């Protein structure tokens, strides 16, 4: 290779690396600006879901304990109205789990569930876990999950949801023991 071609290749390489560096720095700066806002929005969505599943709650306080992997946090209502549980269910895309809130009355009966996010699930199939036909099965003061149906064609997502809610039942039982 001639010296002229080598210099041209070197210039091209330096220009390309410079462009990559500028883009990387810009992306890092954007991430630094948006990350706190995204985290705050996620926290707010979680709080709204907790309030929805346990609407009579006055104030939530965390209940420390060792829970199943899918249980992110267990909260008790300070007025004694029940418990709310935040869950992460590994559905179709296990790297992006569904975020679910489950509410229980003071006796440990399931009042309802709310999906905070299910962006890792297949659109139109796995995302059916967010629809009333499915999520409506998880309310009304259930004491167990007998008779809850999974979604045909979305068994991975709906089974993960079901298993996470079962873990929430177990977590509430443990939390009630701590409170006793």
């Amino acid at each position: 290779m001639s010296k002229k071609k080598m210099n041209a290749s070197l210039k091209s390489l330096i220009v390309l690396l410079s462009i990559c560096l500028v883009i990387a720095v810009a992306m890092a700066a954007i991430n630094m600006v948006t990350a706190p806002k995204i985290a705050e929005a996620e926290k707010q969505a979680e709080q709204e879901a907790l309030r929805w599943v346990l609407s009579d709650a006055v104030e939530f306080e965390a209940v420390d304990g060792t829970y199943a992997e899918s249980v992110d946090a267990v909260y008790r209502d300070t007025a004694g109205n029940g418990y709310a549980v935040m869950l992460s269910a590994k559905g179709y895309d296990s790297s992006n789990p569904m975020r679910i809130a489950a509410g229980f009355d003071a006796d440990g009966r399931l009042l309802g569930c709310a999906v905070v996010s299910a962006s890792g699930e297949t659109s139109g199939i796995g995302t059916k876990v967010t629809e009333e036909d499915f999520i409506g099965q998880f309310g009304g003061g259930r004491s167990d999950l007998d008779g809850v149906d999974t979604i045909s064609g979305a068994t991975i997502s709906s089974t993960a949801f079901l298993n996470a809610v079962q873990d929430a039942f177990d977590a509430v039982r443990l939390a009630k023991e701590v409170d006793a």
Side-chain angles (χ1 to χ4, degrees):
M1 189 178 332
S2 74
K3 193 169 189 159
K4 202 175 198 181
K5 283 186 178 181
M6 198 160 145
N7 283 341
S9 294
L10 187 58
K11 275 186 187 178
S12 296
L13 180 63
I14 290 171
V15 168
L16 188 58
L17 286 173
S18 298
I19 291 170
C20 289
L21 180 63
V22 168
I23 290 171
V25 168
M27 289 178 69
I30 290 169
N31 186 52
M32 284 177 36
V33 170
T34 60
K37 292 177 183 178
I38 291 169
E40 182 60 34
E42 288 173 350
K43 186 173 179 115
Q44 184 177 353
E46 183 177 301
Q47 287 299 311
E48 287 173 8
L50 291 172
R51 292 264 175 229
W52 189 86
V53 297
L54 193 58
S55 58
D56 292 340
V58 174
E59 185 179 349
F60 292 108
E61 70 180 4
V63 180
D64 293 330
T66 304
Y67 305 109
E69 181 183 354
S70 65
V71 177
D72 296 329
V74 178
Y75 301 98
R76 92 171 52 84
D77 173 39
T78 57
N81 292 316
Y83 299 85
V85 183
M86 282 306 304
L87 303 158
S88 292
K90 293 181 179 178
Y92 184 75
D93 179 2
S94 62
S95 68
N96 189 6
M98 291 177 276
R99 299 275 296 138
I100 304 161
F104 295 83
D105 67 15
D107 295 321
R109 290 186 302 261
L110 182 62
L111 299 173
C113 292
V115 178
V116 177
S117 73
S119 59
E121 305 311 301
T122 306
S123 181
I125 300 170
T127 54
K128 288 183 179 181
V129 298
T130 65
E131 295 175 4
E132 183 58 31
D133 287 346
F134 178 71
I135 208 163
Q137 300 178 90
F138 295 91
R142 297 184 75 94
S143 58
D144 58 42
L145 296 176
D146 290 343
V148 173
D149 295 322
T150 58
I151 300 169
S152 178
T155 53
I156 293 172
S157 301
S158 56
T159 300
F161 192 106
L162 200 67
N163 291 339
V165 174
Q166 182 59 56
D167 289 344
F169 267 106
D170 298 339
V172 168
R173 283 186 201 101
L174 289 171
K176 286 177 64 177
E177 288 174 12
V178 168
D179 288 345

